[in-house]
Amino acid sequence: MKAERDFQVVNHSVRKVDAWQLATGYPSYTADLAPAGCLHVKMLWSPHAHARLRSVDIAAAERMPGVRCVLYHGNVPRHPYTTAGEGFPEPSPYDQFVFDRKVRFVGDRVAAVAAETPAQAEAALAAIRVDYEVLEPVLSLEAALAPGAPVIHDEPDAYLPIPMPYCPQENIVARVGMEDVGDFADGLARADVRLDQTFETQYVQHAPMETYVAWAALDGRNRIQITTSTQVPFHCRRLVAQALGLSVGQIRVIKPRIGGGFGSKQEVLLEDLVALFALRTRRPVLWELSRAETFTSGRTRHPIRVRVRAGVTRAGALTALGLDCTANTGAYGGHGIPVVMCCGSKVLPLYRAETVHFAGQIVYTNLPVAGAYRGFGATQAYFGTEQVMDQLAEGVGLDPLEFRLRNHIRSGETSPVFAALGEGKEGVPMTIGSCALEACLRQGAAAIGWDRRRPHTEKTGRLRRGLGMAALMQGSSIPRIDMGAASIKINDDGSFNLLVGATDLGTGSDTVLAQIAAETLGVAVDKILVYSSDTDLTPFDVGAYASSTTYLSGMAVKKAAADARGQVLRVAAAMLAAPVEGLLLEGGVIRAAPDRSVTLAQVAHYALYERDQFQIIGTASHVTEKSPPPFAAHFVEIEVDTWTGAIRPLRYVAAVDCGTPINPKLAEGQTEGAVLNGISFALTEQYLFTPKGRLKNASLEDYHLWSLRDKPPIQAILVSSFEETGPYGAKSVSEISINGAAPAIGNALYNAVGVRLHQLPFTRERVWRALQSHAPE
Amino acid sequence: MKIKAVRRPETPEQARDWARELGEQALYVAGGTGLHFMTDPAEMVAIPLDRIGLRGVECSGRHYRIGALTPLADVMNYRAERWAFHETGRRTATHQIRNISTVGGNICRVFPWCDLPVALLALEATMVLLGDDGYAVPADDYFASQPARRLANGDLLLAVDVPVLEAHMGFGYRKEVICHSGFSLMTVAARLRLEGDRIRDARVAAGAALPFPARLKQVEALLADQPATPDTFARAATEGVREVAWKGREDWSDAYAAHAAAIAVRDALDRALTFARRRDW
């Protein structure tokens, strides 16, 4: 892998800045840092999918040993808000309350206890008497959209804070879409091969190693300090203030190291209650969800039904590409609108189609709540579109690789979809800058041995192998919405404190941002001391989502570092009596000539103690004007047991264009992890419900998340490009690679045995039944 | 459960005596794989068995004696002639669990998806126990009901004797899981004894998709004195499991479990045949 430019720090696989503390088990995570003497929170979760609370009697629970406070809808403030950590105003309905008089899924909040020990809190839950008026649950899209269906959100005070119709009486959060590009019906009519197929994705969970956890305590000024495993500290502060009717200034949010999030911690699920308990009891309060609670009451990926319509000419040109998406958002609507809009905006522009159609709707049900999950929207939509692309190619006699090479978007091109679809509003026009998708396709194909691919009709025997592929694009931040900021100041010894609001959730973004700062300041990474995500101390940042940190926050860091660098050079110029323009800053030394130099430590000392004293400190903010897509081509070889339906991935190749990989090893790690996450999504993960909407497999034993034991060989190929608008040419890398496995395995399944599945996951029984009904030749 | 006290015996007899003295409060701590499912909140007295020996695999000529406290990892790593049990150990749980859990821990309290009972049934193993005196129980009897009930009076499992596979014998084992670390959804083990190209006798057992591990006697009957061919295996596997009430778990339907049973039986027999022919001394 060769970078486009010669960098000193960037594009090198330096050690993670937090490696030592994590490898040695130094207390680093939220629960590690909870003070002794914390009260412990336990929640009484709803056993019903849909019910009204006629009464809640907490008197007996309050008298239980060790119990310090019991909260329920009768003794907490009622302010509508969303748990979705998004920019303000959120493209999510304010349809939640700290507690409500109605429960809307099995696992919804009913009442909470703070007690001296977890066991005492647990015991007190059993003493809470609740009289439920059980209502008819709505457990499917069909049931939710049926005329006369029970209304899940009938509370009068819920609303959508963006200018978009909110339709809770129809169990619909919102309808989204865009004006067709061209005459879509005509585009279909003109096609020589037309397809109209519907695909469905399932409920899945992020399952980070660290479950949801937060604690809160009052400081000496009666302010609330919340330490939490969150991806969105600043949004968390704002949302907690909103939910509790407090001012933002009363709250400080600190994010320590995070044990994984994948989008789940873009939701503010615990922080309101630990803050409220701390206020009521004046004691530190810790709440940590169990794994089962995380499955049941945490956030999930939106199951989405995607209808794909597309047409192609015999010459292989796309005349039409359209998506109609219906998302199940579960009991609350957070993130539903941007997720569905991303089904279009992150998928449709990948191919140059003459006509384009997109429409979507977000539907309430009485099932677990969906939210942000790595790749959101794109993951669900690519499952269908990339299988349709293979079928179109076959329909016109083209190899799937060749078909994609002919039709994918390239540098200098645009798509009307960019301007039409944003996240919760219209998008931003964009011309593709860097694009190495063609190289990804060719290198990935060579690595997997694509030229070995033979049609399924030539395959016999019990075990049959298949090759499949998918092409992908994502985005890098949300243009004109997301903002990141950074400040950087010099210390006496020439080291720098880098303060960022950006949130490292285990991805290594603190390291990446340190590398960007180090590159700009001409120092080694160990001279950059990163402190991230403390709302009192660090500058604002929207947080870790939408593949924004490297591209958006990285550019803020680059600008802040450049600001500091300018100040360093001005001081050095004074010290060396030389013009700034002639100075060279490299390796921590500023040179005017080979024999005339000062070190950064000398510059710092001079500025801090000697003459014209001031703090060398650079600050900057950054808002993006575009969301440059990373691109990827994924290839997989699988083996299908035609007797049992079992699919075994044998080998996976993910070729990714993420611009300049700031830290190649971390970028490869992101890619491999996302691929494994995607394979697991494709083959085994799913929520299984009882007829009354209770989750049956709320444990890692029963949920079947792939681990390293299951991992096939995964080859990550970083195909370099240079994105002019990104820091040192970087784009994002974190999300894109989760989106390829499901369609690539679907295509490989067809290549192996001649059947296609339109529903995830590809369980062995589902594959076996498809084989039984298909009886391939 | 809650542990209110710990007593650490030095001999099996002392462990047995303490268990009898404590009655229902006694809890052997011996590498059990079912602790996760013991949600009884009762207060117990733990009796760790880590000082009483009973660990290791030895060959006596006619059988391998596996100490009840032998970790599954040791079973997996053990190699000897006419020994096939390591295959079962290799497919059990994860490295971490195999390092801690023991043979006894896997078979003293049996859950449907336990790995070893199915193999021990097929291999015609014998359990060696300590009651008032030592006594032996064939696998067919031992696994006829929940062993934990048999052991409730404090009797202690000392060892498992697995017969050495004789010439012309082969063993095959299949375990179907969704992920590597998952519990079995279908376990089948088969032991074949060949006589020339014919099957002299067979022992086939299944678990996971049954309420309790059990022999598949109809399959065995269909195999006896038949030619050892794929057609025989296919017929025995298909017809022999038809009357069994297979139970699908997780995302398997009952119908699919029945289908998977037939395939697993066939695969286990295939593997046993390959094994037997390879060991055609």
Side-chain angles (χ1 to χ4, degrees):
Chain A
M1 198 274 307
K2 183 175 177 299
E4 300 229 0
R5 300 186 183 184
D6 185 21
F7 300 115
Q8 299 301 310
V9 185
V10 157
N11 198 220
H12 288 70
S13 296
V14 305
R15 193 168 64 185
K16 284 182 76 180
V17 297
D18 54 357
W20 183 87
Q21 71 181 99
L22 300 185
T24 58
Y26 185 84
S28 304
Y29 295 94
T30 297
D32 298 337
L33 307 176
C38 264
L39 296 177
H40 296 267
V41 175
K42 292 288 178 185
M43 177 65 69
L44 181 63
W45 304 107
S46 170
H48 302 293
H50 198 189
R52 219 175 286 282
L53 308 184
R54 287 197 192 99
S55 67
V56 178
D57 182 356
I58 62 170
E62 286 180 314
R63 293 192 299 270
M64 298 279 285
V67 172
R68 297 292 170 258
C69 187
V70 182
L71 297 175
Y72 74 113
H73 69 78
N75 60 6
V76 300
R78 181 179 175 87
H79 302 287
Y81 75 110
T82 175
T83 59
E86 302 166 312
F88 180 84
E90 303 88 344
S92 291
Y94 290 174
D95 57 5
Q96 289 199 254
F97 306 88
V98 175
F99 289 103
D100 201 359
R101 288 178 288 268
K102 195 178 187 193
V103 288
R104 298 179 177 85
F105 71 107
V106 177
D108 207 350
R109 288 178 174 187
V110 176
V113 175
E116 297 291 343
T117 69
Q120 288 172 330
E122 193 81 51
L125 294 182
I128 297 172
R129 296 282 168 263
V130 184
D131 183 10
Y132 295 98
E133 177 195 353
V134 177
L135 305 171
E136 182 186 345
V138 176
L139 301 177
S140 67
L141 290 174
E142 289 74 19
L145 297 173
V151 176
I152 296 168
H153 281 275
D154 50 2
E155 68 278 18
D157 38 358
Y159 66 102
L160 190 57
I162 57 171
M164 190 178 279
Y166 178 50
C167 318
Q169 293 303 315
E170 303 170 65
N171 287 329
I172 288 175
V173 175
R175 295 182 176 89
V176 298
M178 63 179 218
E179 199 172 308
D180 284 358
V181 176
D183 186 337
F184 183 67
D186 180 61
L188 283 173
R190 285 188 288 109
D192 294 311
V193 175
R194 281 177 292 278
L195 289 175
D196 182 347
Q197 297 184 357
T198 299
F199 298 83
E200 284 207 38
T201 62
Q202 77 279 34
Y203 264 111
V204 288
Q205 230 271 329
H206 320 67
M209 287 180 71
E210 181 196 37
T211 60
Y212 294 95
V213 54
W215 60 269
L218 301 186
D219 68 12
R221 296 168 60 190
N222 222 24
R223 295 176 71 231
I224 306 164
Q225 178 182 308
I226 304 171
T227 302
T228 176
S229 181
T230 181
Q231 294 175 223
V232 286
F234 288 88
H235 294 336
C236 173
R237 180 177 64 168
R238 191 187 75 245
L239 294 178
V240 170
Q242 180 180 346
L244 301 183
L246 303 172
S247 70
V248 161
Q250 285 175 267
I251 301 167
R252 174 184 184 186
V253 175
I254 297 172
K255 177 223 68 102
R257 308 321 296 169
I258 300 184
F262 312 107
S264 64
K265 293 168 183 174
Q266 200 188 332
E267 297 273 344
V268 180
L269 298 188
L270 313 187
E271 293 86 346
D272 60 325
L273 267 185
V274 290
L276 190 53
F277 273 125
L279 277 173
R280 295 276 172 96
T281 64
R282 308 194 66 75
R283 293 272 302 276
V285 179
L286 170 68
W287 189 13
E288 189 170 12
L289 293 197
S290 67
R291 181 63 63 187
E293 289 173 318
T294 299
F295 272 111
T296 305
S297 301
R299 292 298 181 255
T300 64
R301 187 187 289 287
H302 289 78
I304 302 185
R305 182 174 295 164
V306 182
R307 180 186 182 194
V308 186
R309 286 179 288 171
V312 65
T313 66
R314 279 194 195 86
L318 278 166
T319 57
L321 178 58
L323 302 179
D324 291 274
C325 303
T326 302
N328 173 5
T329 191
Y332 299 100
H335 281 112
I337 292 170
V339 163
V340 170
M341 294 183 82
C342 281
C343 288
S345 64
K346 299 291 188 284
V347 176
L348 291 169
L350 181 60
Y351 296 106
R352 292 171 302 209
E354 292 169 22
T355 66
V356 183
H357 164 83
F358 178 75
Q361 58 184 341
I362 302 94
V363 179
Y364 284 123
T365 63
N366 290 119
L367 288 168
V369 186
Y373 188 161
R374 188 182 211 174
F376 74 21
T379 313
Q380 294 95 324
Y382 273 121
F383 170 56
T385 56
E386 281 302 288
Q387 289 203 77
V388 164
M389 291 302 149
D390 258 39
Q391 294 175 73
L392 292 175
E394 184 181 39
V396 296
L398 284 174
D399 181 276
L401 176 65
E402 175 62 25
F403 183 81
R404 288 174 172 88
L405 284 167
R406 287 190 190 188
N407 286 293
H408 76 75
I409 196 167
R410 285 171 162 75
S411 295
E413 295 180 347
T414 187
S415 165
V417 177
F418 291 134
L421 292 177
E423 295 199 13
K425 60 181 185 181
E426 73 282 0
V428 176
M430 179 172 70
T431 300
I432 296 294
S434 60
C435 177
L437 180 54
E438 180 175 345
C440 290
L441 288 162
R442 294 193 188 284
Q443 290 184 33
I448 200 77
W450 188 254
D451 55 1
R452 294 180 292 123
R453 187 173 178 271
R454 299 287 177 269
H456 67 85
T457 49
E458 295 181 11
K459 294 167 187 173
T460 58
R462 175 178 173 179
L463 302 177
R464 300 182 198 177
R465 293 187 174 189
L467 283 169
M469 66 170 299
L472 310 164
M473 60 169 270
Q474 190 76 29
S476 304
S477 79
I478 310 173
R480 297 183 192 166
I481 291 179
D482 286 352
M483 195 276 274
S487 71
I488 186 162
K489 69 181 176 69
I490 199 166
N491 297 314
D492 307 30
D493 62 352
S495 64
F496 292 87
N497 291 114
L498 171 61
L499 303 183
V500 289
T503 307
D504 188 336
L505 60 151
T507 54
S509 69
D510 279 2
T511 305
V512 163
L513 298 180
Q515 285 181 263
I516 291 169
E519 184 73 41
T520 310
L521 288 162
V523 297
V525 173
D526 62 4
K527 295 294 183 190
I528 306 294
L529 311 170
V530 187
Y531 184 69
S532 58
S533 307
D534 179 332
T535 57
D536 267 14
L537 302 181
T538 63
F540 178 86
D541 192 289
V542 289
Y545 60 85
S547 288
S548 67
T549 303
T550 298
Y551 179 73
L552 170 79
S553 308
M555 193 53 106
V557 168
K558 188 177 180 222
K559 288 159 74 173
D563 184 6
R565 177 191 172 97
Q567 296 171 43
V568 165
L569 292 179
R570 284 195 291 279
V571 173
M575 294 171 73
L576 295 166
V580 168
E581 297 75 30
L583 298 180
L584 178 66
L585 168 52
E586 200 173 64
V589 178
I590 303 99
R591 297 180 194 283
D595 59 343
R596 290 176 59 219
S597 65
V598 290
T599 65
L600 278 171
Q602 289 171 314
V603 168
H605 208 268
Y606 186 88
L608 292 172
Y609 301 113
E610 295 177 20
R611 288 191 59 179
D612 301 328
Q613 288 156 271
F614 77 109
Q615 170 68 62
I616 292 174
I617 180 167
T619 62
S621 303
H622 190 65
V623 179
T624 63
E625 284 298 314
K626 62 188 290 190
S627 178
F631 294 93
H634 284 202
F635 297 82
V636 66
E637 182 170 17
I638 63 169
E639 184 174 83
V640 182
D641 184 336
T642 57
W643 289 8
T644 65
I647 293 175
R648 187 163 70 100
L650 302 172
R651 192 158 164 247
Y652 202 104
V653 174
V656 186
D657 158 24
C658 60
T660 301
I662 301 293
N663 187 314
K665 190 61 73 181
L666 290 177
E668 287 172 5
Q670 284 285 334
T671 303
E672 288 183 21
V675 166
L676 190 61
N677 205 168
I679 294 174
S680 191
F681 169 64
L683 295 183
T684 58
E685 291 181 49
Q686 60 179 327
Y687 271 27
L688 301 171
F689 296 104
T690 68
K692 292 188 173 181
R694 176 185 292 274
L695 182 60
K696 291 196 292 186
N697 56 336
S699 76
L700 291 178
E701 283 164 21
D702 301 322
Y703 178 69
H704 302 302
L705 189 71
W706 276 42
S707 70
L708 287 179
R709 292 183 196 91
D710 304 282
K711 185 176 90 67
I714 297 172
Q715 182 181 358
I717 302 173
L718 302 182
V719 180
S720 194
S721 68
F722 195 91
E723 173 56 42
E724 294 291 347
T725 62
Y728 298 108
K731 298 186 284 190
S732 75
V733 71
S734 55
E735 293 190 88
I736 184 169
S737 284
I738 197 172
N739 300 330
I745 292 173
N747 288 332
L749 176 65
Y750 178 78
N751 180 240
V753 297
V755 302
R756 276 201 186 277
L757 293 184
H758 292 73
Q759 190 176 3
L760 286 173
F762 299 146
T763 63
R764 58 175 70 185
E765 178 165 357
R766 210 168 257 159
V767 174
W768 173 70
R769 289 190 183 282
L771 286 164
Q772 296 298 107
S773 60
H774 176 72
E777 54 273 59
Chain B
M1 86 200 70
K2 187 174 180 183
I3 303 298
K4 66 176 181 182
V6 177
R7 287 194 195 180
R8 185 164 267 124
E10 301 290 338
T11 65
E13 290 75 14
Q14 191 176 32
R16 174 203 59 196
D17 293 344
W18 285 352
R20 288 182 173 179
E21 173 193 330
L22 291 163
E24 290 184 352
Q25 290 185 60
L27 177 73
Y28 285 136
V29 179
T33 54
L35 292 176
H36 177 78
F37 303 98
M38 298 172 68
T39 54
D40 187 345
E43 292 193 337
M44 310 287 275
V45 176
I47 305 177
L49 301 183
D50 53 331
R51 292 183 184 167
I52 66 170
L54 308 181
R55 179 172 175 154
V57 185
E58 289 178 359
C59 184
S60 69
R62 295 182 59 82
H63 60 251
Y64 289 99
R65 172 155 292 190
I66 309 171
L69 296 176
T70 306
L72 295 175
D74 290 2
V75 172
M76 179 184 79
N77 292 325
Y78 186 78
R79 291 291 184 281
E81 284 190 355
R82 306 182 187 188
W83 159 266
F85 202 47
H86 63 278
E87 284 209 25
T88 308
R90 186 171 61 84
R91 296 297 315 277
T92 303
T94 63
H95 286 298
Q96 293 83 349
I97 292 172
R98 287 194 293 265
N99 285 336
I100 295 297
S101 59
T102 63
V103 171
N106 197 246
I107 65 171
C108 283
R109 180 180 296 277
V110 170
F111 293 89
W113 48 84
C114 280
D115 297 283
L116 302 193
V118 177
L120 295 174
L121 279 166
L123 288 166
E124 207 171 2
T126 301
M127 315 306 141
V128 181
L129 294 106
L130 176 66
D132 292 334
D133 298 302
Y135 65 104
V137 181
D140 285 344
D141 292 344
Y142 183 84
F143 295 116
S145 62
Q146 175 57 264
R149 282 199 287 274
R150 177 192 293 274
L151 302 170
N153 65 352
D155 285 9
L156 193 66
L157 179 74
L158 299 177
V160 178
D161 287 347
V162 179
V164 170
L165 290 172
E166 297 168 9
H168 315 296
M169 272 188 173
F171 174 72
Y173 180 78
R174 290 289 297 187
K175 175 180 174 181
E176 301 297 338
V177 294
I178 295 180
C179 288
H180 272 78
S181 55
F183 289 118
S184 179
L185 295 180
M186 175 66 64
T187 310
V188 173
R191 191 193 70 183
L192 289 179
R193 188 199 312 263
L194 302 182
E195 199 166 69
D197 289 333
R198 301 185 77 80
I199 301 163
R200 190 169 135 197
D201 60 50
R203 285 177 67 95
V204 182
L210 298 171
F212 210 70
R215 299 255 307 275
L216 300 177
K217 294 193 174 175
Q218 184 64 26
V219 174
E220 294 173 1
L222 288 164
L223 291 167
D225 203 30
Q226 296 296 311
T229 63
D231 286 347
T232 301
F233 293 164
R235 180 170 158 263
T238 307
E239 295 178 15
V241 305
R242 197 170 285 156
E243 302 303 316
V244 179
W246 299 100
K247 185 71 186 158
R249 289 192 296 111
E250 305 195 11
D251 63 357
W252 284 21
S253 67
D254 292 352
Y256 182 74
H259 169 74
I263 302 297
V265 166
R266 203 165 157 179
D267 287 343
L269 291 170
D270 276 340
R271 190 161 179 80
L273 179 64
T274 303
F275 192 118
R277 287 185 170 155
R278 197 175 70 222
R279 295 191 173 267
D280 192 11
W281 298 295

